Amino acid sequence: SSGRSVTVMGLGPMGRAMADAFLDRGYAVTVWNRTASRADALVARGAVLAPGVAEAVAANEVVVLSLTDYAAMYAVLEPAEAALAGRVLVNLSSDTPEQARAAARWAAERGATHLTGGVTVPPSGVGRPESSTFYSGPRDAFDAHQPLLEVVTGRTPYCGEDPGLAALYYQIGMVMFWTSMLSYWQAIALANANGLTAADILSHAVDTANSLPGFFAFYAERVDAGDHRGDVDRLAMGTASVEHILRTNADAGVDTALPAAVVDLFRRGMDAGHAADSFSSVVELLRKPAA
Ligand code: NDP
């Protein structure tokens, strides 16, 4: 078992917050980072800075990786491959599901176990009980080390054996996060062009965002059933609405790339014969990208 000790490799904002969280819980923490000076504050708190990658890996059964991406993992670990046998690599670096699957094979070939993690919070959320990280990979390794994983984020939803799944759940959250935030920047640009500040529209923006979960829940069952009936909304209505949005943004002189992309998708739905269906029918287009 991992006992009460762990190695953390990669001391960006996330890795440092993780090492701090382990120290807070009384773990013996070994750290390593390409730029060694990033370990200074952790060493002052009692962490041990490993002199090299092989020593960092050898120090503990569980090795938490918090690197920019999976390419960085190979760059770091390849020179110390011989130390990997018997280790559990908890990879909390984000990348694609395919990269996670390849890394799990790569680790297995070297006698190591790979657990994929997708952290859903920024550094300030690390170490908190309400924060969440998706995990996938071997169930027995996940179960054996869950108490340790719980230190990073209190919630540790397990997605399944497929190493790609945690990365997939992470990416599903991120496609929503980045596009939603982009819609917020668009709203602010439109507000600013009309003399309103971000603070002026904040409560309206929050109310709008808070209305979305009701729509998610309403459409989830219908979309899974292939039911795009236009009883509560019609794509023709939605298309008129997004065209008004495009024109409002153009009239204000702000960038129209985002609203134009939305209009383009809605019009493709109209062209595909969905005018009288719900705007949820756009999902059908997204499943089959234009050639
Ligand atoms: P950073 O990119 O700031 O830190 C990355 C770490 O990777 C640093 O320790 C850096 O070392 C190291 N690194 C990068 N490339 C190499 C390389 N080729 N060789 C050796 N070391 C390398 O990332 P964060 O700490 O912000 O995030 C870590 C991971 O967590 C990322 O995958 C990110 O997507 C994910 N994540 C981040 C969140 C956030 O809010 N920041 C939220 C959720 C997930 P050095 O210090 O020497 O440069």
Side-chain angles (χ1 to χ4, degrees), residues 179-189 198 201-202 205 258:
T179 56
S180 300
M181 289 305 294
L182 191 56
S183 77
Y184 182 48
W185 308 145
Q186 184 79 39
I188 291 174
I201 65 159
L202 177 59
L258 179 63

Side-chain angles (χ1 to χ4, degrees), residues 234-255:
R234 295 167 84 245
L235 184 62
M237 175 279 288
T239 303
S241 172
V242 297
E243 282 170 350
H244 301 156
I245 296 163
L246 176 58
R247 206 163 315 128
T248 301
N249 281 270
D251 288 349
V254 301
D255 193 280

Side-chain angles (χ1 to χ4, degrees), residues 95-160:
D95 213 313
T96 67
E98 279 310 314
Q99 284 286 351
R101 292 182 186 114
R105 289 191 293 273
W106 182 86
E109 284 161 14
R110 284 149 188 84
T113 300
H114 183 274
L115 281 174
T116 312
V119 187
T120 67
V121 292
S124 58
V126 170
R128 304 186 67 89
E130 70 278 12
S131 298
S132 186
T133 302
F134 292 109
Y135 286 98
S136 65
R139 175 97 220 196
D140 52 354
F142 171 78
D143 286 341
H145 300 293
Q146 199 273 343
L148 182 153
L149 304 177
E150 223 172 60
V151 174
V152 177
T153 60
R155 292 160 61 209
T156 60
Y158 176 74
C159 306

